[in-house]
């Protein structure tokens, strides 16, 4: 977004949301106009009473009673119209906020995962909540105030011109000066409000990250450091707010009040020079009354500039997310039948400079079992992310059933290829909802999936079974059990390609054997890619690919790689030694 005081494109786009319901907006504006007429009629009636009755010392009871009744009636009607238009504008504002929030969240859900690599969760939540609330304030206060006051000032100027064109000229001189002040304020406050909104987003991000990482903070005794960081952010936000308040205190009410006072003195001076022959006392009263009613709307509109500025800054951030590139999918709606996967000369870099994967060639056959191994940072998980379409390959191509991965339709893609990650996300919901995830899956299918992963016995121990809420005290899953639940979540969909990214890292040897048996059954109908540090889980793989710093250094079966005595053989020997030491420790403990 361009760094301007007022981004006209953003303002126009923001106003378009209100035009979605033109009828409702027209009714609200009509109520505003009617309310302005009722508001302006009061001083005109009093002027008529002063000049036609008090000045002439004539007090007809019937006429005065009618004037009083008309005045009271206008006040009541005006109050009712203000209430009605306020309800209308609030309804429009709430509707716009709901539309923007739904649109924004929908766009966020469909962005590529790479978009979340550099965006803290707190900042994202701030945009969806705080920024959309600023848009509501824009419609409730700014738009309603501007329309109401512009209508009121326009009607008053017309009435004033009929009463006295000389006095009207004095009031008209005030308007361009006030508009000039408003423009200066707008330009001065733009960057200040933008900085304030950014700091608020940083505060939300800091709170979110601190709460999520509370165990790490306390374990590393970094409470003081994080507290100081948060204090620094809040102090900067406070200074930004104080700067805005100083700007408001200088350019808003004081200057306009000064101009209003000068205009009032000018009115009285002109009346003194002209005399009652040219300007009646009632007319002077009406003008003084209208002057107050003109300056107050001007002050009110100028004060609303702060909300306008906040709304524009918030809208810039919201529209930037809405307009951000969405996850790309193809148009090929033919379902994946075989689950054959190929990577042809695939290279990838996150930043365009450092290569993470280099010329990867892999062929996973129908119902095949492919294993990816290597030390940390070798590129295993990155390759899995490319297979899942989380990132596009920098070079080369990935094929599924001899079709480009990028050509597959979203439904075909996500139904046919599934992944179980190392740290799966578990919802604060029931066991059933955690597995269904909004899909139409029967309890029979759910129990079958739980049986296959060895988690059914654990769930049956809960009194509520599939209706048990996670996080409720009774149901607190271990890290390994969460991985099993995530695997069951995937199995109910019966994908053609299943990718396990360290999904067996946190389970014991007994559960691992159950998973291996389940995978042997699943291989009858799907192809499997397993990323593993524990080599015991991949000994039956059709092909094991060893990655080192983004390159394939070895490939073959378990026995072939042991014969070559390369990286894989070293990794296997180290794990065998580690398991042997662990077994000796357990035997020693039992003996003691």
């Amino acid at each position: 977004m361009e760094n301007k005081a007022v981004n006209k494109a953003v303002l126009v786009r923001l106003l378009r949301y209100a035009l979605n319901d033109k009828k409702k907006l027209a009714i609200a504006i009509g109520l505003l106009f009617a309310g302005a007429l009722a508001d302006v009629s009061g001083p005109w009636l009093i002027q008529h009473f002063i000049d036609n009755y008090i000045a002439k010392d004539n007090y007809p009871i019937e006429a005065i009673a009618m004037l009083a009744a008309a005045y009271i009636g206008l006040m009541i009607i005006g109050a009712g119209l203000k209430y009605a238009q306020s309800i209308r504008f609030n309804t429009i504002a709430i509707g716009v906020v709901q539309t923007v929030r739904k649109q924004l969240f929908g766009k966020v859900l469909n962005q590529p995962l790479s978009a979340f690599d550099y965006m803290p969760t707190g900042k994202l939540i701030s945009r969806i909540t705080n920024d959309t609330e600023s848009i509501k304030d824009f419609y409730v206060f700014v738009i309603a105030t501007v329309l109401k006051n512009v209508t009121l000032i326009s009607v008053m100027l017309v009435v004033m011109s009929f009463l006295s064109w000389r006095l009207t000229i004095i009031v008209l001189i005030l308007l361009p000066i006030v508009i000039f002040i408003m423009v200066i304020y707008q330009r001065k406050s733009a960057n200040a409000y933008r900085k304030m909104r950014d700091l608020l987003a940083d505060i939300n991000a800091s709170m979110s990250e601190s709460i999520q990482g509370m165990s790490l903070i306390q374990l590393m005794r970094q409470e003081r450091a994080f507290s100081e960081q948060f204090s620094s952010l809040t102090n900067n936000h406070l200074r930004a707010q104080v700067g805005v308040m100083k700007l408001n205190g200088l350019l808003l009410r004081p200057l306009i009040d000064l101009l209003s006072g000068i205009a009032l003195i000018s009115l009285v001076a002109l009346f003194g020079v002209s005399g009652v022959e040219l300007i009646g006392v009632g007319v002077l009263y009406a003008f003084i009354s209208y002057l107050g009613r003109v300056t107050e709307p001007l002050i009110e509109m100028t004060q609303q500039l702060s909300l306008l500025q906040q709304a524009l800054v918030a809208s810039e951030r919201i529209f930037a997310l809405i307009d951000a590139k969405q996850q790309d999918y193809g148009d090929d709606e033919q379902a994946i039948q075989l689950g054959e996967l190929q990577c042809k000369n695939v290279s990838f870099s996150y930043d365009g400079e450092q290569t993470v994967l280099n010329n990867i060639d892999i062929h996973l056959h129908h119902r095949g079992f492919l294993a990816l191994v290597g030390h940390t940072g070798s590129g295993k998980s990155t390759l899995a992310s490319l297979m899942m379409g989380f990132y596009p390959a920098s070079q080369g191509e990935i094929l599924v059933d001899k079709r480009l991965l990028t050509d597959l339709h979203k439904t075909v893609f996500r139904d046919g290829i599934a992944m179980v990650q190392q740290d799966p996300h578990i919802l604060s919901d029931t066991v059933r909802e955690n597995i269904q995830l909004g899909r139409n899956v029967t309890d029979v299918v759910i129990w079958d999936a739980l049986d296959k992963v060895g988690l059914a016995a654990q769930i049956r121990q809960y009194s509520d079974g599939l209706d048990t809420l996670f996080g409720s005290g009774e149901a607190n899953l271990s890290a390994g059990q969460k991985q099993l639940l995530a695997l069951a979540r995937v199995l109910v969909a019966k994908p053609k390609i299943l990718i396990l990214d360290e999904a067996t890292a946190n389970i014991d040897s007994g559960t691992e054997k159950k998973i291996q048996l389940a995978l042997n059954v699943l291989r009858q109908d799907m192809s499997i890619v397993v990323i593993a540090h524990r080599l015991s889980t991949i000994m039956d793989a059709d092909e094991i690919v060893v990655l080192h710093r983004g390159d394939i250094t070895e490939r073959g079966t378990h026995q072939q790689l042991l014969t070559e005595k390369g990286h894989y053989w070293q990794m296997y020997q180290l794990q065998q030694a580690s398991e042997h030491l662990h077994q000796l420790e357990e035997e020693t403990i039992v003996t003691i």
Side-chain angles (χ1 to χ4, degrees), residues 222-492:
Q222 292 299 305
E223 295 92 342
R224 182 175 179 179
F226 275 78
S227 178
E228 290 176 350
Q229 180 189 28
F230 185 78
S231 297
S232 176
L233 287 173
T234 54
N235 288 337
N236 291 336
H237 186 257
L238 175 61
R239 281 194 289 271
Q241 284 183 309
V242 171
V244 170
M245 290 173 62
K246 288 179 179 179
L247 196 61
N248 293 348
L250 176 64
L251 292 180
L252 294 185
R253 181 171 288 274
L255 276 179
I256 296 179
D257 281 344
L258 176 62
L259 293 172
S260 177
I262 294 172
L264 179 60
I265 293 172
S266 301
L267 288 176
V268 176
L270 182 60
F271 175 77
V273 173
S274 301
V276 293
E277 303 86 28
L278 295 177
I279 303 173
V281 176
V283 173
L284 178 63
Y285 164 80
F287 264 81
I288 293 174
S289 177
Y290 284 139
L291 179 62
R293 297 189 182 207
V294 168
T295 54
E296 280 303 319
L298 290 173
I299 292 172
E300 190 177 5
M301 283 194 294
T302 308
Q303 289 175 329
Q304 297 305 322
L305 287 177
S306 62
L307 292 178
L308 170 63
Q309 197 60 61
Q310 292 184 55
L312 290 178
V313 172
S315 299
E316 286 180 2
R317 294 145 57 95
I318 289 173
F319 294 150
L321 266 180
I322 290 177
D323 297 337
K325 184 179 179 181
Q326 301 295 289
Q327 177 72 54
D328 290 328
Y329 292 97
D331 300 322
D332 189 345
E333 298 184 2
Q334 182 181 350
I336 297 173
Q337 299 293 333
L338 300 176
E340 182 181 359
L341 179 68
Q342 288 178 273
C343 295
K344 292 186 176 181
N345 299 319
V346 171
S347 297
F348 179 75
S349 172
Y350 287 101
D351 55 11
E353 296 180 1
Q354 184 176 0
T355 301
V356 180
L357 293 172
N358 185 37
N359 291 326
I360 302 299
D361 281 298
I362 288 176
H363 191 176
L364 174 65
H365 296 279
H366 172 49
R367 297 178 182 173
F369 183 178
L370 172 68
L372 303 175
V373 300
H375 296 295
T376 301
S378 60
K380 305 184 302 298
S381 295
T382 297
L383 182 55
S385 295
L386 296 185
M387 293 176 179
M388 288 299 299
F390 294 158
Y391 303 90
S394 303
Q395 294 179 3
E397 55 187 20
I398 300 176
L399 304 174
V400 176
D401 287 358
K402 295 182 170 47
R403 292 178 287 162
L404 285 174
L405 191 71
T406 53
D407 289 344
L408 299 182
H409 188 270
K410 180 179 180 180
T411 303
V412 175
F413 198 143
R414 295 309 175 200
D415 286 348
I417 307 175
M419 184 182 208
V420 179
Q421 296 172 306
Q422 183 175 356
D423 298 309
H425 179 68
I426 304 300
L427 304 175
S428 298
D429 210 324
T430 63
V431 178
R432 181 183 291 103
E433 288 300 322
N434 263 280
I435 295 178
Q436 286 181 336
L437 292 179
R439 299 169 294 184
N440 186 18
V441 182
T442 65
D443 288 358
V444 174
V445 175
I446 293 174
W447 282 116
D448 181 61
L450 291 171
D451 277 326
K452 287 180 178 178
V453 300
L455 197 58
Q458 174 71 24
I459 303 302
R460 287 192 176 97
Q461 290 179 3
Y462 301 141
S463 56
D464 293 329
L466 295 179
D467 293 316
T468 303
L469 283 169
F470 286 123
S472 61
E474 180 185 9
N476 290 311
L477 300 180
S478 65
Q481 289 172 332
K482 289 179 180 179
Q483 289 181 328
L484 296 178
L485 183 72
L487 181 57
R489 175 190 290 166
V490 168
L491 295 186
V492 297

Side-chain angles (χ1 to χ4, degrees), residues 2-12 182-183 185-187 189-191 194 305 308-309 312-313 316:
E2 296 180 12
N3 189 19
K4 297 180 179 180
V6 176
N7 192 319
K8 293 182 180 179
V10 172
L11 182 59
V12 170
M182 292 171 69
V183 171
Y185 174 82
Q186 179 72 23
R187 294 187 180 278
S189 62
N191 290 330
R194 188 174 287 108
L305 287 177
L308 170 63
Q309 197 60 61
L312 290 178
V313 172
E316 286 180 2

Side-chain angles (χ1 to χ4, degrees), residues 26-292:
I27 292 173
I29 294 174
L31 291 171
L32 271 177
F33 184 76
L37 286 176
D39 204 12
V40 169
S41 300
W44 181 82
L45 288 176
I46 294 177
Q47 174 268 328
H48 180 76
F49 173 69
I50 292 174
D51 287 344
N52 291 284
Y53 296 105
I54 295 179
K56 297 177 180 180
D57 198 23
N58 180 26
Y59 302 99
I61 301 299
E62 186 175 332
I64 293 173
M66 288 181 63
L67 281 173
Y71 184 84
I72 295 171
L74 283 171
M75 295 302 102
I76 294 173
I77 292 172
L81 291 172
K82 286 180 182 179
Y83 172 78
Q85 63 90 8
S86 177
I87 293 296
R88 293 282 179 176
F89 274 105
N90 273 277
T91 303
I92 292 172
I94 293 171
V96 168
V97 170
Q98 287 181 335
T99 300
V100 173
R101 192 169 282 171
K102 290 177 182 178
Q103 186 179 6
L104 176 59
F105 190 64
K107 294 291 186 178
V108 169
L109 289 176
N110 288 285
Q111 285 193 18
L113 285 184
S114 56
F116 301 95
D117 290 343
Y118 308 104
M119 182 178 292
T121 304
K123 286 190 176 184
L124 190 58
I125 293 173
S126 179
R127 293 191 183 186
I128 297 175
T129 55
N130 296 339
D131 287 353
T132 49
E133 282 299 308
S134 292
I135 292 180
K136 186 187 78 171
D137 292 340
F138 169 77
Y139 280 97
V140 172
F141 300 110
V142 179
I143 295 298
T145 299
V146 170
L147 289 176
K148 178 188 72 174
N149 291 331
V150 168
T151 303
L152 184 62
I153 291 172
S154 301
V155 172
M156 282 194 292
L157 288 175
V158 172
V159 174
M160 291 164 71
S161 65
F162 283 115
L163 293 176
S164 172
W165 63 269
R166 294 179 180 84
L167 297 181
T168 305
I169 290 175
I170 294 176
V171 177
L172 285 174
I173 293 174
L174 175 66
L175 292 179
I177 299 175
V178 173
I179 292 173
F180 178 71
I181 293 173
M182 292 171 69
V183 171
I184 292 176
Y185 174 82
Q186 179 72 23
R187 294 187 180 278
K188 293 286 185 182
S189 62
N191 290 330
Y193 277 107
R194 188 174 287 108
K195 181 179 180 181
M196 199 166 67
R197 299 297 302 185
D198 289 340
L199 285 169
L200 181 60
D202 290 339
I203 289 172
N204 288 333
S206 178
M207 285 193 294
S208 176
E209 291 173 1
S210 298
I211 292 172
Q212 290 177 359
M214 189 61 68
S215 58
L216 175 64
I217 292 172
Q218 294 185 1
L219 285 171
M220 302 301 293
R221 296 185 299 168
Q222 292 299 305
E223 295 92 342
R224 182 175 179 179
F226 275 78
S227 178
E228 290 176 350
Q229 180 189 28
F230 185 78
S231 297
S232 176
L233 287 173
T234 54
N235 288 337
N236 291 336
H237 186 257
L238 175 61
R239 281 194 289 271
Q241 284 183 309
V242 171
V244 170
M245 290 173 62
K246 288 179 179 179
L247 196 61
N248 293 348
L250 176 64
L251 292 180
L252 294 185
R253 181 171 288 274
L255 276 179
I256 296 179
D257 281 344
L258 176 62
L259 293 172
S260 177
I262 294 172
L264 179 60
I265 293 172
S266 301
L267 288 176
V268 176
L270 182 60
F271 175 77
V273 173
S274 301
V276 293
E277 303 86 28
L278 295 177
I279 303 173
V281 176
V283 173
L284 178 63
Y285 164 80
F287 264 81
I288 293 174
S289 177
Y290 284 139
L291 179 62

Side-chain angles (χ1 to χ4, degrees), residues 516-545:
Q516 287 178 319
L517 291 175
L519 291 179
N520 290 331
V521 174
L522 295 173
R523 286 181 61 187
Q524 304 304 314
D525 195 42
M526 68 179 66
S527 306
I528 298 174
V529 179
V530 176
I531 299 172
H533 278 300
R534 295 171 63 174
L535 303 183
S536 55
T537 60
I538 59 168
M539 292 172 63
D540 295 331
D542 297 328
E543 183 179 37
I544 299 172
V545 174

